[in-house]
Each structure stands twice: as structure tokens, then as C-alpha cells.
């Protein structure tokens, strides 16, 4: 089975983390989300992967290469200008098989693909869309379906009383290559806003498939934090690297925690991390590989990517730090989101 992963967007809502880093490569439990996704795809029989990239493509290419380490074949299509979610698919047309899956690579989910794929094949193709149910559909495009699951229309950001359902597009599709003929080449086109309504109008069979399991669009810092809470609470069932040394405390290889440090679960500590005396770590804190947390530093509800240093007595509360940052001695930061490019407070 083949999957096209849409991973080229700018990730503006997750800036500054995504200024120099592709959003799908944002770490989730110390591993790029895109890697979790590729591992899950391989496990479910998807081994031919096309990555549609644009923003910082080298970060993705350097990490995955041709995909050998994951037992998959990866090919890249690099856009010169952003083509949007449908334009990117059209741009990859020459590499695509007659029938293929498409993933928004920034959606965190743990779906079983087999029933989705089987449903698409049983109906004879066209366009199939995974649907997920949300509590409050007023921020999304909600679907209205007939009794067979065929999508009649999308209602954008409905008021609660006007929502025909609480089911929204989950950002995973199966398409027959034939439908790509309708997408104009070399233009910015959105699959959600332009192609789905266009295909429905034209009479192309567009079906919704109900899914079960975790689903979260990690596109904002608020939701990126939430995904980590869910991971540490094990509501999101993804592998957590490291050994669980006590309930809710995972520590990677060759890491040293000073016996005088206090770890308050849940906490995930990566590989080759050092934690100094009287440091207080947690709860809901994730520390990436090769980080150094000096004595007396306090990290609560914070996420550090790799190679960060937190100097003596610094305090981080509800912060997210990209790769390779240093937080100075006695610095106190609340709700900061920081990368080498800049900082925001959200
Ligand atoms: P924001 O700027 O915060 O809206 O993020 P985004 O545009 O990166 O993501 P959005 O949620 O709008 O897009 C969903 C998925 O499609 C993400 O995985 C994006 O990387 C990807 N994507 C969006 N636009 C493009 C594009 O023009 N080309 C490619 N290849 N991928 C895209």
C-alpha cells in the first residue's frame, strides 16, 4: 500500500518552533511525530511512502533518507512554491499508484487503516475521508452524510444548533488517481476547501469513514502541549522511549539523575541526559536527548527538545523549547515557546 504524506506547510501557528523546523518533525515523546507515523504505517502494511515537502525539506530528508531504517521506501517531492493540500497531491502525481492513502502529516492519530481501505475498495473507489467526532465542532468543517455514509456537504464552523453532526474531516484520505484529473496543475489548491466540495458537486463518490482512537491536530502550541499530556497519561498509545523506572517515569539510555534530584511523575527523560542535585522535574515534563539540567533547576509542565541546557536554579513553567537552547542561571520563564529564532508566549 502507498501513502502520500503532506508535510510541506509552514506551520505558522506553531511558530517559533516551526520557523526552522517542519511541523510534522516536532518531537512527540522525544521522537519526531513523522517517525511515529511512518512506523505505524509500516506496521499496517504501508511501505511505499511519498513525502510532499517544502518548508525545511532537508530536515526531513536528512532524518529519513530513503527509509531503509524503517523498512519502507521513501521518495520526496519538493515544491518550489507552496501548492496547498490538493496542489501538493497533484504535484506528486507521477509517483502515485492507482489507489493511495493521503495523510496530513501533522495529525496525531492511532487509527486502524484496514477497515478504511477495505471500505474504499468495496465501494469501488472515488474519494474516502476518515472522520473523527469532536466535542465542539464549531471550529471545524462538519460533514452531513446520507444513510450509506456518502458525504452530502461540509458545513464550515457551524453554530452548535446548526451542526448536522459532530463528525469532522480527520485529515486522512484514500483517493483513486483518476480524481486527480480535476485538480489544476501548478496552482495552489486546497483539498478541504476546494476539491472536496467540487467533487461532491460533480457527483464523484465522496464517502466518510468513522474512526475510533486518538485524534488530535497538533497545529497550535495549546494542542501540542495537550498531545504531550495525553502521551504521558497514556491516553495516547504511542511507544515511549526509555525504561519506565517507576510508574510514570521513563528514562532513556546513559542518563544520570542525581540522587538528590526530585522527579514528580509523569516525566519522560531522553538519552544521555544529566540532571543535577536538587533539580525538580515534573509533573508533565519531557526532556529530550543530550539535555543538561543543572542543580536546583525546576521544570514543570515543560517540553524540551534535544541538546538543551538549563542552568543552575533556572525555572521553566509550562514552556516549550526547541533544539539546542540554553536557559541562563536563575532565569524564570512561564508559558514561553522558544526556538533559536525567537520566543513567543502562548
Ligand atoms: P499553519 O500555517 O499553522 O496553518 O500550518 P500548515 O499550513 O503547515 O498546516 P495545515 O494544518 O494547514 O496543513 C495540514 C498538513 O498539510 C500539514 O501536515 C502541512 O504540512 C501540509 N501542507 C499544508 N500546505 C501544504 C503545501 O502547500 N504543500 C505540502 N506539501 N504540504 C502542505
Amino acid at each position: 500500500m502507498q501513502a502520500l504524506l503532506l508535510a510541506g506547510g509552514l506551520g505558522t501557528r506553531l511558530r517559533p518552533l516551526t520557523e526552522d523546523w517542519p511541523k510534522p518533525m516536532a518531537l512527540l515523546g522525544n521522537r519526531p511525530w513523522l517517525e511515529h507515523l511512518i512506523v505505524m504505517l509500516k506496521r499496517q502494511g504501508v511501505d511505499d511512502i511519498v513525502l510532499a515537502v517544502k518548508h525545511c525539506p532537508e530536515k526531513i530528508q536528512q532524518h529519513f533518507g530513503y527509509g531503509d531504517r524503517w523498512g519502507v521506501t521513501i521518495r520526496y517531492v519538493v515544491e518550489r512554491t507552496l501548492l496547498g493540500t490538493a496542489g501538493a497531491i497533484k504535484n506528486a502525481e507521477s509517483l502515485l499508484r492507482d489507489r493511495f492513502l493521503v495523510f496530513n502529516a501533522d495529525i496525531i492519530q492511532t487509527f486502524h487503516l484496514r477497515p478504511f481501505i477495505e471500505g474504499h475498495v468495496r465501494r469501488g473507489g472515488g474519494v474516502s475521508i476518515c472522520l473523527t467526532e469532536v466535542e465542539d465542532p464549531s471550529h471545524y468543517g462538519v460533514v452531513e452524510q446520507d444513510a450509506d455514509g456518502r458525504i452530502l456537504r461540509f458545513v464550515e464552523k457551524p453554530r452548535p444548533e446548526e451542526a448536522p453532526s459532530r463528525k469532522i474531516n480527520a485529515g486522512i484520505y484514500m483517493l483513486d488517481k483518476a480524481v486527480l484529473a480535476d485538480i489544476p496543475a501548478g496552482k495552489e489548491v486546497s483539498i478541504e476547501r476546494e476539491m472536496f466540495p467540487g467533487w461532491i458537486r460533480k457527483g464523484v463518490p465522496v464517502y466518510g469513514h468513522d474512526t475510533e482512537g486518538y485524534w488530535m491536530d497538533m497545529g497550535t502550541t495549546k494542542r501540542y502541549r495537550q498531545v504531550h499530556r495525553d502521551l504521558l497519561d497514556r491516553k495516547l498509545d504511542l511507544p515511549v522511549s526509555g525504561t519506565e523506572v517507576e510508574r510514570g517515569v521513563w528514562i532513556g539510555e546513559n542518563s544520570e539523575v542525581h540522587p538528590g534530584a526530585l522527579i514528580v511523575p509523569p516525566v519522560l527523560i531522553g538519552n544521555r541526559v544529566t540532571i543535577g542535585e536538587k533539580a525538580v522535574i515534573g509533573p508533565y515534563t519531557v526532556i529530550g536527548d543530550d539535555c543538561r539540567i543543572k542543580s536546583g533547576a525546576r521544570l514543570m509542565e515543560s517540553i524540551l527538545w534535544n541538546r538543551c541546557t538549563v542552568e543552575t536554579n533556572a525555572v521553566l513553567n509550562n514552556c516549550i523549547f526547541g533544539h539546542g537552547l540554553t536557559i541562563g542561571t536563575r532565569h524564570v520563564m512561564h508559558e514561553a515557546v522558544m526556538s533559536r529564532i525567537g520566543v513567543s508566549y502562548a
Side-chain angles (χ1 to χ4, degrees), residues 18-245:
T18 45
E19 292 276 6
D20 61 350
W21 198 254
K23 179 168 57 167
M25 293 296 281
L27 299 194
L28 179 47
N30 289 341
R31 197 182 215 193
W33 158 248
L34 199 50
E35 187 176 327
H36 286 291
L37 177 59
I38 287 172
V39 169
M40 285 196 318
L41 290 176
K42 165 71 181 170
R43 217 173 36 228
Q44 300 198 50
V46 179
D47 56 6
D48 177 358
I49 290 172
V50 180
L51 269 162
V53 292
K54 164 71 178 82
H55 179 54
C56 309
E58 70 289 349
K59 302 281 184 345
I60 299 179
Q61 288 165 318
Q62 280 162 14
H63 188 86
F64 293 108
Y66 297 111
D68 319 25
R69 225 177 93 197
W70 293 270
V72 297
T73 306
I74 298 182
R75 288 171 295 168
Y76 299 87
V77 186
V78 186
E79 282 149 55
R80 265 184 299 195
T81 58
L82 278 175
L83 291 172
T85 42
I89 301 173
K90 181 73 176 176
N91 193 48
E93 192 170 12
S94 64
L95 299 184
L96 296 173
R97 299 188 193 174
D98 289 345
R99 216 161 245 180
F100 57 92
L101 295 159
V102 179
F103 287 76
N104 279 0
D106 63 339
I107 299 289
I108 314 299
Q109 47 74 29
T110 54
F111 298 159
H112 292 296
L113 296 172
R114 183 174 296 273
F116 176 56
I117 296 168
E118 285 172 356
H120 182 88
V121 173
R122 200 170 47 244
R123 284 189 301 271
V127 175
S128 299
I129 304 175
C130 279
L131 304 176
T132 187
E133 222 171 81
V134 290
E135 280 293 312
D136 175 11
S138 59
H139 302 293
Y140 300 95
V142 178
V143 297
E144 184 177 332
Q145 293 169 280
D146 71 10
D148 294 330
R150 189 166 178 157
I151 296 178
L152 304 172
R153 62 179 183 131
F154 288 87
V155 184
E156 278 305 318
K157 302 190 172 61
R159 287 210 299 269
E161 64 277 14
E162 286 167 355
S165 73
R166 289 195 288 127
K167 291 186 206 170
I168 63 161
N169 168 6
I172 300 174
Y173 321 120
M174 188 153 191
L175 304 180
D176 280 12
K177 196 174 182 179
V179 303
L180 302 192
D182 295 324
I183 306 176
K187 276 181 64 179
E188 187 175 345
V189 187
S190 157
I191 195 164
E192 304 89 342
R193 287 189 301 278
E194 296 169 72
M195 295 319 300
F196 290 149
W199 281 322
I200 291 170
R201 269 196 309 275
K202 194 180 163 193
V204 173
V206 178
Y207 278 84
H209 170 87
D210 295 346
T211 56
E212 278 174 22
Y214 189 90
W215 183 89
M216 180 79 76
D217 167 359
M218 66 140 148
T220 65
T221 47
K222 186 169 170 227
R223 291 201 292 259
Y224 182 65
R225 286 189 173 104
Q226 186 60 47
V227 170
H228 274 87
R229 286 187 83 89
D230 293 343
L231 180 77
L232 292 174
D233 283 338
R234 306 309 289 142
K235 289 182 192 159
L236 165 57
D237 185 18
L238 282 183
V240 174
S241 56
T243 307
E244 193 168 9
V245 293

